[in-house]
Amino acid sequence: MNTLPRLLLLLGLAHLPAVAADSIIDTVRHADDQRVAATLAADKDGLNAALSTELHYTHASGRIDTKASYMGSFLSHSTIYDTYRYVERTFLPAGTGSMLMYGRALIDSRNGEKKTAHDLNFLAVWREENGVWRLLAWQSAENPPPAPPAKP
């Protein structure tokens, strides 16, 4: 085999992992989009499909939910998310069958009559479970309010 065809073959094979990683990232991004839509709609089936049975969800307040307690708060409408917008969302493959997702999200929620605007930094862990990507863990922290402008 000539050198040029060999080089082209090697370059083509070297590109495969990046293409595969991009495809997995697209799949997990879509799974997260579906999770957010299910969260906003308080969709029991959508949430059930998107969340791992081993979910560990740590809110910015420090409260920790399991899959059952997290779903329960949405399905009972004790917590309602009105808006959920990512300012930044980055995906980082973390080994076979796992993906980290981190960034910043703006979320408006209601708990009874209390409305809260959240500006969060977050880290999420996604895991492939029997061919389906599910949210395994979430941890977030509130960003501090912007500093007041300096006085002249």
Side-chain angles (χ1 to χ4, degrees), residues 115-137:
K115 293 184 179 187
T116 308
H118 302 278
D119 180 353
L120 304 173
N121 290 320
F122 67 87
L123 173 63
V125 180
W126 286 84
R127 179 172 67 183
E128 188 176 19
E129 299 176 354
N130 299 318
V132 177
W133 284 91
R134 292 191 171 92
L135 182 66
L136 175 65

Side-chain angles (χ1 to χ4, degrees), residues 28-52:
V28 176
R29 181 181 288 111
H30 179 70
D32 186 56
D33 291 343
Q34 290 180 314
R35 177 191 67 86
V36 170
T39 299
L40 289 167
D43 172 10
K44 179 181 180 180
D45 293 335
L47 284 170
N48 192 48
L51 304 176
S52 172

Side-chain angles (χ1 to χ4, degrees), residues 76-89:
S76 69
H77 301 288
S78 64
T79 300
I80 298 171
Y81 280 21
D82 293 317
T83 62
Y84 201 122
R85 183 175 69 83
Y86 288 114
V87 175
E88 174 192 352
R89 180 173 56 160

Side-chain angles (χ1 to χ4, degrees), residues 6 10 25 35 41 47 67 72 146 149:
R6 259 188 215 160
L10 288 173
I25 288 170
R35 177 191 67 86
L47 284 170
K67 181 176 182 175

